[in-house]
Amino acid sequence: MKRNERAKQVLSRFGDVVWFRSPTERHPVYGYLQVAFVGWRYAEPDDQLKKIFESAVRETPKQVEWTFKSTRNWMIVPSRLIQEAGPDGQNFNQAMDLIRQSDEDFCAKTAGDLEKIFQTLSEAPITRKEIQPE
């Protein structure tokens, strides 16, 4: 299963995903690995879910440092990408391109890490949705 499909499947366990962004595994023209991350928005965001994502990012064994951000959109993203994008994130796409072009080893590590985070999330209890009255 491709990363985007896997991401949507896992994230949909927690709510109705109405916006989604994640790069393909490899650059469509040049074929090199891309920095792995995922961004999404739920139709009805539930602040209780933030704890599940924070825990998954914190507790999953990883090769690089990751961050869970939750503003209008939620993101699971390598911390390096956030740092290189600048304080307001305005250089996000440029930072992603620079890392992709200069550090394929880092990109490979992010791909493996994100899959491990998805695995953790796929096994996480979904709080109130699993305890709905019959």
Side-chain angles (χ1 to χ4, degrees):
M1 178 180 300
K2 293 186 178 197
R3 181 170 58 224
N4 286 350
E5 294 167 358
R6 172 89 166 123
K8 288 176 185 176
Q9 177 188 56
V10 170
L11 297 173
S12 293
R13 290 184 67 222
F14 302 95
D16 182 21
V17 177
V18 295
W19 178 84
F20 176 83
R21 178 181 181 199
S22 184
T24 58
E25 288 89 346
R26 293 194 170 269
H27 189 277
V29 175
Y30 303 110
Y32 41 69
L33 291 172
Q34 303 203 90
V35 179
F37 71 89
V38 62
W40 73 98
R41 185 178 323 124
Y42 287 118
E44 296 179 24
D46 182 346
D47 283 346
Q48 292 182 8
L49 293 176
K50 291 178 184 179
K51 294 176 186 174
I52 295 170
F53 292 103
E54 289 167 350
S55 176
V57 169
R58 184 179 56 251
E59 303 298 329
T60 300
K62 302 166 297 297
Q63 298 181 68
V64 301
E65 183 182 339
W66 287 77
T67 300
F68 168 70
K69 290 184 67 159
S70 58
T71 53
R72 180 174 181 224
N73 300 323
W74 294 9
M75 291 184 78
I76 297 174
V77 61
S79 301
R80 175 181 170 187
L81 183 52
I82 292 173
Q83 292 161 356
E84 293 187 19
D88 58 3
Q90 74 180 33
N91 298 320
F92 188 87
N93 290 336
Q94 294 91 332
M96 186 175 62
D97 287 342
L98 287 172
I99 294 170
R100 178 186 71 212
Q101 293 171 15
S102 65
D103 196 345
E104 193 160 302
D105 184 54
F106 179 81
C107 294
K109 289 176 181 176
T110 64
D113 283 356
L114 191 55
E115 178 52 41
K116 290 178 189 174
I117 293 168
F118 290 157
Q119 185 60 41
T120 299
L121 288 169
S122 73
E123 298 168 356
I126 308 177
T127 63
R128 64 179 171 80
K129 290 186 180 182
E130 289 185 342
I131 311 172
Q132 289 180 348
E134 295 182 19

